[in-house]
Amino acid sequence: MKFFDVASQDRFSLATGGEQLAYLKWLEEMSHRLAGRIPEPQVRIELIETAYYEAKRAGLEPALVLGLVQVESNFRKYAISSAGARGLMQVMPFWVRSIGDSDSRKLFHLQSNLRYGCTILRYYLDREQGDLFLALGRYNGSRGRPDYPNAVLAAWKRWQYSEATVTVAGDPETGTGTRSR
């Protein structure tokens, strides 16, 4: 599969050749890891590219955002929690009224949901003076309880990528489909 196409060329306009190559390798690897959860390549690539963009925009690591999405919605775009949180990053509708345009339908829009989620996580990180554990607790509404932050931190580790030492699980949760480079 070719991962560099005309639609993604804009994302590379300011990057050096080495940065472009590293990004493309990362994109390919993340696509491989998500293939079991999201079989449609175009949908999968759009999710990964958007998560990368919104994470970087908010000053977050893309692997952290992917880990949070895994824990929150298991990569289900139309997930709705029992508390009413919506979309990939399980954003509560009150946030749309607080920092958006009041259209909660946008919480099911890929980029909008990721932008809200990343912005909210950045807000909580700043509020907690960089303490990710506490920020994750605030994000989930479970501040002070370790289960949720620990689950996201574990998922984050599974989504981290190092080109030099990649042993990849086709599904980072189950470890199936292992390959090494």
Side-chain angles (χ1 to χ4, degrees), residues 23 50-62 65 118:
Y23 172 79
T50 305
Y52 181 90
Y53 176 80
E54 293 301 335
K56 292 294 191 178
R57 184 176 183 274
L60 303 169
E61 285 190 39
V65 172
C118 289

Side-chain angles (χ1 to χ4, degrees), residues 160-173:
Q160 288 177 338
Y161 171 76
S162 171
E163 188 178 334
T165 59
V166 175
T167 298
V168 180
D171 182 333
E173 199 164 81

Side-chain angles (χ1 to χ4, degrees), residues 28-37 158 166-181:
E28 180 180 16
E29 183 56 42
M30 295 304 107
S31 178
H32 173 75
R33 292 183 191 189
L34 260 178
R37 295 171 194 261
R158 289 190 296 268
V166 175
T167 298
V168 180
D171 182 333
E173 199 164 81
T174 65
T176 59
T178 302
R179 67 180 180 160
S180 296
R181 289 195 181 158

Side-chain angles (χ1 to χ4, degrees), residues 14 29 41-42 63 68 74 76 82 96 103 118 139 142 151-152 161-162 167 172 178:
L14 299 176
E29 183 56 42
Q42 184 176 347
L68 191 141
N74 201 25
R76 292 177 298 129
S82 60
V96 178
D103 185 357
C118 289
Y139 186 92
S142 63
V152 173
Y161 171 76
S162 171
T167 298
T178 302

